[in-house]
Amino acid sequence: MKRTRTRTAVAAGAVTLTLVLGGCSSSGSESAGGGGDGDGTGSLKFWGWSPGYADAVKAFNKAHPDIKVEYQEVQPGAKGGYQKMLNAVQAGNAPCLAQVGYETLPSFAAQGALTDVSKFANGDKGDFQKAAWSSVSLGDAVYGSPVDTGPMALFYNKKVYDELHLKPPKTWDEYKSQAKKIHASDPKRYVSSPYLNYDYAGLSWQAGASWFGIDGDAWKVGLGSAANQKVAGYWQGLVDDGLISKAPMYDQSWYTGIGSGNIASVVGAVWQAGVIKGGAKDGSGDWAVAPMPQWKAGDTAVGNAGGSATAVLKGCKSSKAAWTFAHWLSTDRKAYAGLVDKASLYPAATALLDLPQLKAKDEYFGGQKIYDVFAKAAPEVNSDWTWGPVMTKTSADLDDALSTAWAGKGTLKDALRTTQDKTVGELKNQGLKVTE
């Protein structure tokens, strides 16, 4: 079942979405502008966390003497970076530029924290994949430059799979069957580990289990929908059968499990390759990449996890210069090659899809050309997905509830229902119309 990537972060009713967001902006005019255009020169501050960004900034400064970018590394968004950015916007001392995930951009727009740079950006629209451009656009406004996308695949320990005479699963039913064989081979081995926030979202995304939508002038919240309950029920079954490791994702115990093969697979986005390689060096040569398992044999649906933009924040005094840098970071071949090497980013810019780094063999993954898998996956990303305007809170509430469920206290279905109720309550508190 082929799906077209026509949009990812924004629904078809983008103009309606803008009106809905406008209802909770502290100042519609500021969120749409928020700062001076400048003459295309000046000094800019940029906050982000991706490996390779610091080196890219140095290269930009060397090539652009009229624009000086000062890079400051901050905690990843969900770990404090986003709150730091929002606090700075409220205090009036925010940087011009910030790394903001596509999932969080609507929340920033809803809080009036972004600057519309469409007057500078629209001429470069054709440089990017349509879905990626949609991810930084709300109605006629453009809030930054798309940097990367996060098509998902199955990372699996080929050494373990070969030992057990297993091949990458084609379906989720087959994945569950293999999970039992993996655990039976060694009680310390598990097929995978708990998934939280946007990693979990990718599992729902693939299944068409949307979280948010637009219904006229109201937000539609669907975390508790039947489709989401189906996904939650599947993973709950693995938990109940004792087939999921208790090692939290990105915890040292998780990296240890990846390195030893005791965690035999990770369903993750393309950038997960860099995370695995950097944190589980003992697994080098043992791992490989295959397409995501499907809910129905023969389907080709793919979820997306992550992807971010270089957003222009409210109050930027040199938005023209800010766009110059943001666009450069997304499209400069040499700079982006470094981001592929250091962070395993997958470009949103169409002209970069032929980078040599995306064609190279990766020794960590047994010499496999892993980006070939993601090149086939990217056009199959399920397009029916919309992020909501309070994702920072939704994500935090979901993480709390999911963590409890993965630990065996309550269920994943209950976690989704709890998050649904809290999200609806937050939207109403902000004066937004909501349907369920």
Side-chain angles (χ1 to χ4, degrees):
M1 179 171 58
K2 187 178 179 77
R3 299 178 186 263
T4 303
R5 291 183 73 208
T6 56
R7 62 194 188 278
T8 52
V10 183
V15 174
T16 301
L17 178 57
T18 302
L19 297 176
V20 174
L21 289 173
C24 58
S25 296
S26 59
S27 172
S29 61
E30 287 184 328
S31 67
D37 294 339
D39 61 359
T41 65
S43 297
L44 312 171
K45 291 184 178 179
F46 172 34
W47 290 359
W49 59 85
S50 278
Y53 271 16
D55 290 338
V57 167
K58 290 179 182 177
F60 176 85
N61 287 336
K62 185 176 181 180
H64 299 78
D66 292 336
I67 303 175
K68 177 177 173 55
V69 178
E70 178 186 338
Y71 179 68
Q72 178 181 338
E73 184 173 339
V74 298
Q75 288 293 315
K79 296 182 179 180
Y82 291 147
Q83 192 57 56
K84 180 180 177 71
M85 294 170 191
L86 291 172
N87 290 344
V89 168
Q90 293 173 359
N93 58 8
C96 262
L97 298 151
Q99 180 179 356
V100 178
Y102 298 141
E103 77 289 332
T104 303
L105 190 138
S107 298
F108 270 49
Q111 297 180 65
L114 301 175
T115 290
D116 178 11
V117 293
S118 57
K119 63 191 289 186
F120 310 114
N122 281 338
D124 298 317
K125 178 179 179 179
D127 292 345
F128 300 97
Q129 299 173 51
K130 290 182 179 179
W133 189 258
S134 293
S135 297
V136 299
S137 308
L138 293 175
D140 294 329
V142 178
Y143 292 118
S145 178
V147 177
D148 64 304
T149 60
M152 298 174 71
L154 177 71
F155 296 86
Y156 69 100
N157 191 301
K158 191 173 185 300
K159 181 178 179 181
V160 171
Y161 271 62
D162 286 348
E163 175 191 327
L164 301 177
H165 306 290
L166 300 176
K167 294 183 178 181
K170 301 292 186 181
T171 66
W172 286 114
D173 284 342
E174 188 179 356
Y175 184 79
K176 184 173 183 177
S177 176
Q178 292 181 352
K180 295 177 180 179
K181 294 180 181 179
I182 289 169
H183 191 56
S185 72
D186 186 332
K188 294 181 181 180
R189 281 181 179 169
Y190 300 90
V191 71
S192 195
S193 59
Y195 295 91
L196 299 178
N197 54 68
Y198 306 118
D199 293 302
Y200 183 86
L203 302 175
S204 301
W205 189 321
Q206 184 211 22
S210 61
W211 287 4
F212 294 91
I214 300 296
D215 183 7
D217 62 349
W219 281 99
K220 185 174 181 179
V221 184
L223 278 89
S225 68
N228 275 293
Q229 294 294 299
K230 171 187 172 182
V231 177
Y234 172 84
W235 289 96
Q236 186 66 52
L238 294 179
V239 172
D240 293 345
D241 289 344
L243 305 176
I244 298 294
S245 168
K246 294 187 181 300
M249 210 166 186
Y250 312 123
D251 184 83
Q252 183 54 52
S253 60
W254 183 76
Y255 288 113
T256 299
I258 296 295
S260 67
N262 285 340
I263 295 176
S265 74
V266 178
V267 186
V270 56
W271 50 264
Q272 198 72 257
V275 174
I276 294 172
K277 289 163 60 176
K281 299 186 186 303
D282 289 346
S284 181
D286 296 342
W287 284 76
V289 182
M292 281 186 82
Q294 297 295 314
W295 287 101
K296 181 179 178 181
D299 282 356
T300 56
V302 176
N304 188 87
S308 66
T310 306
V312 183
L313 298 185
K314 174 185 173 183
C316 181
K317 303 301 182 184
S318 304
S319 52
K320 183 177 181 180
W323 175 256
T324 296
F325 170 76
H327 179 260
W328 178 91
L329 181 65
S330 297
T331 59
D332 184 83
R333 292 184 69 84
K334 185 174 182 180
Y336 208 99
L339 299 181
V340 176
D341 287 337
K342 295 180 176 68
S344 297
L345 298 190
Y346 194 77
T350 55
L352 300 186
L353 296 178
D354 65 347
L355 283 173
Q357 286 76 8
L358 298 178
K359 306 296 182 183
K361 295 180 179 180
D362 193 317
E363 295 309 313
Y364 187 96
F365 293 97
Q368 181 183 2
K369 296 181 179 180
I370 65 170
Y371 290 104
D372 287 350
V373 177
F374 295 104
K376 292 180 179 179
E380 305 293 342
V381 169
N382 185 335
S383 63
D384 297 327
W385 189 268
T386 300
W387 292 113
V390 291
M391 281 310 303
T392 300
K393 178 168 175 51
T394 297
S395 175
D397 289 337
L398 182 64
D399 276 5
D400 288 343
L402 285 178
S403 294
T404 299
W406 286 114
K409 301 175 182 178
T411 68
L412 296 175
K413 290 183 177 182
D414 291 339
L416 293 179
R417 291 192 189 97
T418 297
T419 306
Q420 165 96 8
D421 292 342
K422 290 184 176 181
T423 296
V424 169
E426 180 64 19
L427 291 172
K428 289 180 178 178
N429 286 340
Q430 293 194 16
L432 296 177
K433 293 183 180 180
V434 185
T435 61
E436 298 182 62

